[in-house]
């Protein structure tokens, strides 16, 4: 459990900067960096809502919700309830603001300051786990705890391994005291099946070091 407190600490301090990646609030150079090196963040957003399809009237849990971009989109698409879980309080403050600024009533959205596994979570129709497995030391326990929370499907991103980008990112995050973890397609298949998911669809976002976007069903 070493990594979650440090991931939480890192993201708590990084919350404002992270939030500017969405909504194109950054300067021209950083927008170029985001487009070039972080394009998978935007692609996985589109793939997630394509995979979830019609969520009107359904409940969603967004684990590692950050500043809440998936929460507001799920509310826009008519989700009956969205639960966001994140251990970084500054991320949740931004998430709460985003929900209010988008004009949604607080009663359709619950934000929980905690890590997963750990936070008590009731079953939801769908789970969103985007940009989180990067920071999870024990992916097997995380996915095993996720299975009973999911009634219909879960969409999960996993960072891929790349000969150049992976060691570079590892060092960058070590300096930030936030360890990162990487996966192969066979790791993902094995971990999801071992956790009890019946259907596992793995899709690699094209490009060096880009994420895997995975849709699992119980
Ligand atoms: C890269 S951000 C992604 C935020 C959001 N899902 C998105 O894609 O915009 C990762 C988030 O995961 C959270 N996180 C890290 N480990 C976690 C854990 N074990 N349980 C829940 N959240 C976690 C961090 O605090 C951070 O806000």
């Amino acid at each position: 459990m070493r990594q979650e407190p440090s991931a939480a600490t890192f993201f708590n301090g990084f919350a404002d900067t992270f939030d500017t990646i969405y909504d194109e609030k950054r300067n021209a150079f950083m927008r170029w960096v985001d487009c070039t090196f972080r394009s998978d963040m935007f692609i996985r957003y589109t793939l997630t809502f394509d995979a979830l399809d019609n969520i009107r009237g359904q409940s969603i849990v967004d684990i590692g919700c950050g500043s809440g971009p998936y929460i507001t989109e799920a509310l826009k698409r008519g989700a009956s309830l969205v639960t966001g879980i994140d251990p970084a309080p500054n991320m949740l403050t931004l998430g709460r603001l985003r929900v209010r600024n988008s004009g949604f009533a607080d009663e359709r959205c619950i934000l929980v300051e905690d890590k997963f596994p750990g936070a008590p979570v009731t079953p939801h129709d769908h789970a969103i786990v985007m940009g989180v497995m990067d920071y999870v030391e024990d992916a097997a326990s995380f996915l095993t705890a996720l299975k009973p929370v999911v009634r219909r499907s879960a969409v999960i991103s996993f960072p891929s391994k790349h000969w150049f980008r992976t060691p570079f990112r590892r060092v960058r995050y070590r300096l930030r005291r936030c360890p990162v973890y990487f996966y192969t397609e066979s790791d993902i298949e094995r971990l999801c099946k071992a956790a009890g998911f019946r259907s596992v669809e793995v899709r690699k976002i094209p490009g060096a070091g880009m994420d895997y976007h995975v849709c699992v069903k119980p």
Side-chain angles (χ1 to χ4, degrees), residues 4 11 18 22 44 64-66 69-70 86-87 91 115-116 130-131:
E4 283 97 359
F11 278 104
F18 183 80
Y22 290 102
R44 74 191 185 205
C65 61
Y70 290 82
D86 203 291
M91 284 289 202
K115 64 184 172 61
F116 185 89
M130 285 295 134

Side-chain angles (χ1 to χ4, degrees), residues 1 3-12 14-15 18-19 22 41 44-45 62-70 85-89 91-92 98 112 114-119 128-137 142 157 169 173 178:
M1 292 293 171
Q3 91 295 346
E4 283 97 359
S6 51
T9 306
F10 166 65
F11 278 104
N12 205 40
F14 191 59
F18 183 80
D19 189 52
Y22 290 102
M41 269 184 68
R44 74 191 185 205
Y45 184 88
D62 182 357
I63 298 175
C65 61
S67 59
Y70 290 82
I85 301 174
D86 203 291
M91 284 289 202
L92 292 183
R98 189 185 281 273
V112 181
D114 210 336
K115 64 184 172 61
F116 185 89
I128 296 174
V129 188
M130 285 295 134
V132 179
M133 298 312 291
D134 315 42
Y135 313 102
V136 172
E137 184 178 20
F142 186 104
S157 70
R169 189 172 177 215
Y173 275 76
C178 177

Side-chain angles (χ1 to χ4, degrees), residues 94-110:
L94 291 169
R96 209 165 283 117
L97 200 64
R98 189 185 281 273
V99 171
R100 291 204 183 131
N101 289 346
S102 307
F104 293 108
D106 284 353
E107 59 267 23
R108 282 171 63 208
C109 174
I110 300 169

Side-chain angles (χ1 to χ4, degrees), residues 34 95 117 150:
D34 294 342
V150 176

Side-chain angles (χ1 to χ4, degrees), residues 45-46 48-50 52-53 55-56 60 62 68-79 82 98-99 102 104 108 128:
Y45 184 88
T46 305
T48 294
F49 288 100
D50 285 353
L52 293 176
D53 198 18
I55 52 170
R56 182 158 295 281
I60 312 280
D62 182 357
Y70 290 82
I71 294 178
T72 45
E73 185 61 27
L75 290 169
K76 254 183 229 162
R77 289 170 184 250
V82 185
R98 189 185 281 273
V99 171
S102 307
F104 293 108
R108 282 171 63 208
I128 296 174

